[in-house]
Amino acid sequence: MTLSTTRQAPAPQILDRCRELVRPALVESVRRLHPWHAETAAFSLGWSGVDGAPVPGSQGKGVRQALAVLGSEAAGGSGRDGVTGAVAVELVHTFSLIHDDIMDGDETRRRRPTVWKAYGTGPAVLAGDALFALAVRTLTEVPGATGAAAVRRLSAALGDLVHGQAQDLLFESRPWTGPDAVLPHEYRAMATEKTGSLLGCAAALGAVLAGAPAATADALDRAGRHLGVAFQAVDDLLGIWGDPQVTGKPVHSDLRRLKKTFPVLAVLACGHPAARRLEALLTGADTGDDPLDEAGLRRAAELVDEAGGRRATVTEAREHLRAARACLDGVELHEGARGDLLTLIPFLVDRTG
């Protein structure tokens, strides 16, 4: 299918349009929570500060919301058909971030305290649980077979998300090298589940709620999963070389945590001489023999770059972007929304924070 000659709106406008469409329903949904959980959720969503005071304009990009809206439009429905799916996925995404920050011990997100730091671990866990339950309830209230299909989609994505999270946590206890080392293909599978499952679910839910056939929803799901791997690859780049003023994280933050990210794993799996020097540096830090100080962090980042880790990660992201586009090319979609999706996909990966 060839693209329409109609000029597409730029990606930020697409995101704004979808977010504005979803926001009233998302606000109304959060209001259904216990007041304590609602306050915590509003803080996590960037709507308010710890004191409950509104924070104008702080909403995030709304990527998953946009994918649900565009998935509905691409399947021939209206954007409003996808709003319920957008709300459900955004609630799940928020729940996952709250719990992720607890598991990782992260104290800041988007240059603000994380929920567990602002409210305590117990309240954060409860807020995440409440959001999870509300997301499922939201879709169960969609009448008929469409609602049942949407719940099945979300349930499958949730299963994949927590499986991917488990793999990511288990990677931390595995060695850098040797027969038990994490290999790039294992990391790719983890990212497909942990990051890609919810992106794919968002686009697929929009199509399901618009009454599209399963083949259309499946194609959108696959596209979203490939986008998730590309998205994660860029996150990994930013975790080493990102600007702290933009990312809200210290420079070399992933190396500081000895996190097994794609740039590092790609280097350790290759035969470049710098890879052996990086291995010695990371192994010594992991055992506590020689913890990475600021000079060590800079050296590790230089070695990853010298051995081609940055280049390999950019290539990985681009390959998955091409795969996402191929998924969209393989199914009949409404031309305007398909164009919006093709505009949005590279924008989400070509970012600095």
Side-chain angles (χ1 to χ4, degrees), residues 2-313:
T2 58
L3 279 174
S4 166
T5 56
T6 303
R7 185 178 179 181
Q8 298 296 140
Q13 288 185 20
I14 295 171
L15 289 169
D16 287 346
R17 174 178 71 85
C18 295
R19 193 169 54 241
E20 288 170 8
L21 183 63
V22 174
R23 177 67 183 265
L26 185 57
V27 169
E28 186 59 32
S29 184
V30 169
R31 284 177 180 161
R32 300 172 69 183
L33 293 169
H34 183 286
W36 193 24
H37 299 152
E39 178 186 335
T40 310
F43 174 80
S44 182
L45 285 160
W47 299 348
S48 64
V50 179
D51 58 359
V55 179
S58 180
Q59 303 179 41
K61 292 184 179 69
V63 172
R64 291 151 194 83
Q65 300 174 43
L67 288 175
V69 170
L70 295 177
S72 177
E73 293 175 348
S78 73
R80 293 193 177 279
D81 292 331
V83 166
T84 302
V87 169
V89 170
E90 189 65 22
L91 294 172
V92 168
H93 176 56
T94 306
F95 134 75
S96 72
L97 294 182
I98 292 173
H99 283 198
D100 270 4
D101 288 337
I102 295 170
M103 287 184 283
D104 294 342
D106 287 339
E107 298 186 0
T108 60
R109 178 178 288 277
R110 299 169 187 157
R111 295 173 292 280
R112 301 200 314 163
T114 50
V115 173
W116 73 271
K117 283 298 292 182
Y119 289 89
T121 302
V125 170
L126 277 175
D129 292 345
L131 289 165
F132 175 92
L134 181 59
V136 176
R137 179 182 174 185
T138 298
L139 290 182
T140 63
E141 293 171 349
V142 176
T146 298
V151 171
R152 287 193 295 271
R153 286 272 175 185
L154 184 66
S155 297
L158 283 166
D160 287 345
L161 188 155
V162 296
H163 187 276
Q165 179 67 64
Q167 289 298 95
D168 195 28
L169 287 174
L170 288 170
F171 287 171
E172 295 179 5
S173 61
R174 290 171 60 178
W176 291 103
T177 58
D180 294 325
V182 181
L183 298 176
H185 76 270
E186 293 180 278
Y187 186 85
R188 189 177 298 119
M190 178 278 295
T192 300
E193 292 186 322
K194 181 183 175 183
T195 307
S197 61
L198 207 53
L199 291 170
C201 179
L205 275 181
V208 167
L209 293 169
T216 301
D218 288 344
L220 289 165
D221 193 329
R222 290 192 298 272
R225 286 172 184 260
H226 282 296
L227 177 58
V229 180
F231 196 92
Q232 187 62 58
V234 174
D235 260 6
D236 289 350
L237 290 175
L238 296 174
I240 298 177
W241 296 286
D243 180 352
Q245 296 301 315
V246 179
T247 65
K249 297 179 180 180
V251 67
H252 306 143
S253 59
D254 282 350
L255 287 173
R256 194 182 305 273
R257 293 170 50 195
L258 298 176
K259 189 171 177 62
K260 293 181 175 69
T261 59
F262 192 87
V264 176
L265 297 178
V267 165
L268 294 177
C270 77
H272 195 284
R276 305 287 72 84
R277 298 196 294 273
L278 177 65
E279 174 190 339
L281 196 61
L282 294 174
T283 302
D286 212 14
T287 59
D289 295 338
D290 188 18
L292 290 179
D293 55 14
E294 293 302 320
L297 290 169
R298 287 194 299 273
R299 182 58 179 151
E302 290 168 357
L303 289 169
V304 173
D305 202 6
E306 181 183 341
R310 192 199 300 245
R311 182 171 60 253
T313 306

